[in-house]
Amino acid sequence: MSKRVIMAAGNWKMNKTPSEAVEFVNSLKDRVAGSTAEVVVGVPFVCIPGVIEAVKGSNIKVAAQNVHWEPNGAYTGEVSCKMLKDLGVDYVIIGHSERREYFAETNEMINKKARAILDAGMTPIICCGESLTQREQGVTAEHVRYQIKVALLGLSAEEVSRIVIAYEPIWAIGTGKTATTEQAEEVCGIIRELLVELYGKDTAEKTRILYGGSVKADNAKELFAMPNIDGGLVGGASLKLDEFEKIVKHDA
Ligand code: 13P
């Protein structure tokens, strides 16, 4: 079976103002037109309306970086799936290690968010990954399997075939220390094997699994060529036009 469509997804985190965001995607859309990879920009909530407008007619899709699972209600400061869908958002990043660490996001919350995102007709990008201590203790596989198993509870095989999973070892995020291609491939393979166990081979073959953690123009090609790696969730390098363009065109 041929490999899945590669995804180059930027996670801007808390960077760029709404006007900077529009300026950025206006330049990006010409640079990545016609790319073989699917291009996604994960932008701050306040940038979403302007960015959606700017990317109309281009091949760039827009992701939010968080969402609440309830449809509405007294949740000061939160944003619902319906609100994001109404703006034209396609993807929502959930379970990022920064949200787990600084905002106490749990696997159970991530599971509720995944359910709500799918019900709203959007696609979750579910992040997982071990800390340096966990890697050194030799529990990476158990930890990542547990995170993903709980995040996916109650999802159908058909839904799992459409979601995106991002393996992001915490020790490689923003550190400049990329996992080796072999380390990244090994854990992405473990995740795919878990999907085979839970949902069968046909489903597991369809689900896209990204690698994230210091992805750059000079390592994207090798990473994305691995059998179980279907692209990247890119932080710092997605804020720079030249770098992100090269990551999108990794195979050019
Ligand atoms: P960096 O690419 O800056 O290491 O960030 C990775 C990440 O957290 C993407 O979600």
Side-chain angles (χ1 to χ4, degrees):
M1 180 178 165
S2 66
K3 222 182 136 180
R4 297 148 292 269
V5 174
I6 294 287
M7 173 183 280
N11 175 9
W12 290 5
K13 310 191 179 184
M14 195 172 72
N15 291 290
K16 297 194 192 293
T17 63
S19 40
E20 287 166 351
V22 168
E23 195 186 330
F24 184 92
V25 293
N26 272 332
S27 304
L28 183 68
K29 63 185 177 186
D30 297 330
R31 290 167 176 247
V32 300
S35 68
T36 54
E38 183 177 2
V39 187
V40 179
V41 288
V43 308
F45 284 138
V46 292
C47 299
I48 293 174
V51 167
I52 296 249
E53 189 58 34
V55 301
K56 270 194 185 130
S58 79
N59 61 337
I60 300 176
K61 295 192 180 135
V62 177
Q65 299 174 15
N66 183 30
V67 75
H68 197 280
W69 59 86
E70 290 292 344
N72 50 48
Y75 300 100
T76 302
E78 293 293 319
V79 164
S80 74
C81 289
K82 202 173 165 190
M83 296 173 191
L84 297 178
K85 179 68 181 173
D86 185 70
L87 288 175
V89 167
D90 286 301
Y91 292 97
V92 187
I93 300 167
I94 54 174
H96 193 281
S97 61
E98 287 148 18
R99 293 215 56 88
R100 293 177 190 260
E101 182 177 353
Y102 307 133
F103 303 97
E105 199 160 302
T106 64
N107 292 322
E108 288 72 19
M109 287 158 73
I110 293 155
N111 177 237
K112 288 190 213 170
K113 291 181 184 201
R115 176 75 271 147
I117 292 163
L118 287 162
D119 286 345
M122 299 182 291
T123 303
I125 300 176
I126 303 175
C127 305
C128 61
E130 82 288 3
S131 65
L132 186 57
T133 307
Q134 288 166 326
R135 176 158 285 268
E136 286 169 356
Q137 290 169 335
V139 298
T140 297
E142 285 90 340
H143 178 72
V144 169
R145 281 174 58 97
Y146 182 76
Q147 285 183 314
I148 292 301
K149 198 167 177 179
V150 177
L152 302 186
L153 283 176
L155 270 53
S156 70
E158 188 278 325
E159 286 169 334
V160 170
S161 73
R162 289 188 280 118
I163 65 165
V164 179
I165 294 172
Y167 166 58
E168 303 204 308
I170 297 169
W171 48 270
I173 295 176
T175 55
K177 198 176 163 195
T178 324
T180 64
T181 320
E182 291 70 28
Q183 286 172 323
E185 167 63 15
E186 184 190 12
V187 182
C188 290
I190 287 167
I191 295 168
R192 200 171 307 282
E193 198 45 50
L194 172 68
L195 298 181
V196 173
E197 280 172 37
L198 296 174
Y199 300 97
K201 198 167 180 344
D202 285 356
T203 300
E205 286 294 334
K206 290 183 190 141
T207 310
R208 284 187 287 181
I209 304 176
L210 314 181
Y211 166 78
S214 300
V215 173
K216 297 185 206 71
D218 61 12
N219 59 26
K221 184 174 182 176
E222 199 184 331
L223 284 162
F224 299 177
M226 299 307 281
N228 283 299
I229 302 178
D230 306 313
L233 185 55
V234 187
S238 77
L239 299 168
K240 299 176 199 142
L241 277 169
D242 286 345
E243 275 278 313
F244 193 56
E245 179 188 349
K246 284 184 194 145
I247 291 168
V248 170
K249 297 180 178 167
H250 61 281
D251 54 355

